[in-house]
Amino acid sequence: MIKQKTSVVFLDANGNSDRKIQIPTFVVKNWKRIVVLGIFVICLACSTIVYLATKNTSDRYEKELTKKIEALEAAKKSLASEEASNQMSMEQLQKSFDAIDSTINQINAKMRKRGLKDIAPKIKNVGGPVEEEVDIEELTKFYKKELKNLDKKLEGIPLGIPHHGKITSRFGYRRNPFTNKGREMHSGIDIKGRIGEPIKATAAGKVTFAGYKGQYGRVVIVEHSNGWETRYAHLSGARVRSGQRVDAGQIIGTLGSTGRSTGPHLHYELLSYGRKLNPEKTLRF
């Protein structure tokens, strides 16, 4: 089939023919439909371009949003884990504090059994509301202070052995060791040893006497806190002087046999507010 064409003549301003072209007759007859169709195609193309661009942007935003959600989920898990860890730490701290309280109670029971004062006595005439919230920092300070006070008090209480040796004479009445007749009160304990062996203080305190004193021979007397006093007699020599501060376990003299003595030994006495007690009860805690 031969396509029909229609000539289109272009005229200039003077009405003269300028140019002529041939257009299919179908186009001339249906130009309105073709224009509408062209507009539709253009709109469709523009819509497609806008859709693709919007979808691309949406995908990018969706990915970014997904990443943020994942980050928030990770942070949430981290916080949950940290909270669980803190809870465990709180429980462990509470167990530690309970253990300290239990230890102090045991020490107090032993102190009372020996007729000594409590390390941490009960507080009287106090009161106030109980705070449920636990302040770890303040609680730690409290226990540090308590343990420091406990350590300080224990330092000033005569406990332990001044010299490792066999006890040859105990506290109380005994037969006279020189005549082997009659009875006499022995106000301390005698610990056998060799001349020159070290003698140690059983508690921190202040030396009130260091020298020769009658039947004690060469003796060191140490005054401790809360009315305690210890005496170390029959020494061959003193390592401290009167007025000097000494620590628990510090060497204060050397074993000897001076004064009223039948042989090398340490005569160890323990006093509480001037009253002589049996020191053997405080050799082990």
Side-chain angles (χ1 to χ4, degrees):
M1 178 179 177
I2 301 173
K3 293 182 179 181
Q4 294 181 355
K5 293 184 179 181
T6 301
S7 297
V8 178
V9 179
F10 293 89
L11 302 176
D12 57 14
N14 298 321
N16 299 319
S17 175
D18 181 59
R19 191 174 51 169
K20 182 175 69 175
I21 61 172
Q22 290 185 340
I23 299 175
T25 303
F26 174 80
V27 173
V28 175
K29 290 181 178 181
N30 300 285
W31 67 271
K32 289 183 180 181
R33 294 179 181 178
I34 293 172
V35 169
V36 171
L37 181 62
I39 293 173
F40 174 76
V41 171
I42 292 171
C43 290
L44 180 63
C46 290
S47 298
T48 302
I49 293 172
V50 170
Y51 169 76
L52 292 175
T54 303
K55 188 176 185 304
N56 185 40
T57 304
S58 177
D59 289 344
R60 187 172 72 254
Y61 285 155
E62 185 177 352
K63 288 181 181 179
E64 291 179 359
L65 185 59
T66 302
K67 288 182 180 179
K68 289 181 179 180
I69 292 173
E70 291 175 351
L72 288 173
E73 287 292 334
K76 182 180 177 181
K77 290 180 181 179
S78 177
L79 286 173
S81 176
E82 186 177 348
E83 184 178 353
S85 177
N86 288 338
Q87 185 65 29
M88 288 180 62
S89 298
M90 283 288 294
E91 292 176 359
Q92 291 170 353
L93 282 172
Q94 190 60 50
K95 287 181 181 179
S96 298
F97 294 146
D98 290 343
I100 294 172
D101 287 333
S102 176
T103 301
I104 292 176
N105 290 334
Q106 290 176 16
I107 291 174
N108 283 335
K110 292 180 180 180
M111 298 292 280
R112 288 192 294 271
K113 189 176 180 180
R114 295 183 179 188
L116 307 176
K117 292 182 179 180
D118 286 3
I119 292 296
K122 292 182 179 179
I123 305 173
K124 298 179 180 180
N125 303 99
V126 296
V130 177
E131 297 290 343
E132 295 183 0
E133 185 176 350
V134 178
D135 189 326
I136 294 299
E137 185 176 352
E138 288 300 320
L139 194 57
T140 302
K141 286 181 181 178
F142 167 76
Y143 276 102
K144 280 184 178 180
K145 184 179 178 181
E146 285 290 299
L147 292 175
K148 188 176 181 180
N149 290 337
L150 174 62
D151 182 60
K152 185 178 180 180
K153 288 180 179 180
L154 287 176
E155 278 288 311
I157 298 176
L159 295 169
I161 302 172
H163 174 70
H164 290 277
K166 182 181 178 182
I167 296 177
T168 54
S169 183
R170 288 183 158 79
F171 180 87
Y173 283 97
R174 68 181 182 184
R175 189 178 297 276
N176 188 314
F178 291 91
T179 63
N180 204 30
K181 296 178 182 179
R183 294 187 180 277
E184 64 179 23
M185 179 62 187
H186 187 228
S187 56
I189 58 173
D190 292 339
I191 304 174
K192 184 180 179 180
R194 297 178 182 177
I195 293 178
E197 290 181 336
I199 304 300
K200 299 179 180 179
T202 53
K206 180 181 178 181
V207 178
T208 56
F209 185 85
Y212 208 92
K213 189 172 183 146
Q215 295 182 349
Y216 280 112
R218 187 166 281 105
V219 61
V220 171
I221 300 175
V222 182
E223 185 181 80
H224 311 283
S225 58
N226 297 319
W228 293 105
E229 182 179 292
T230 51
R231 298 176 181 179
Y232 311 81
H234 307 313
L235 302 177
S236 60
R239 295 280 187 88
V240 292
R241 62 184 182 279
S242 183
Q244 180 179 340
R245 300 289 305 181
V246 295
D247 297 323
Q250 181 177 335
I251 297 176
I252 58 173
T254 52
L255 189 142
S257 186
T258 58
R260 187 173 183 266
S261 171
T262 61
H265 73 282
L266 168 69
H267 175 80
Y268 176 55
E269 288 185 7
L270 173 66
L271 293 84
S272 176
Y273 293 103
R275 178 170 169 262
K276 293 182 180 180
L277 305 175
N278 184 1
E280 192 171 349
K281 293 181 178 181
T282 64
L283 297 182
R284 290 178 178 81
F285 184 63

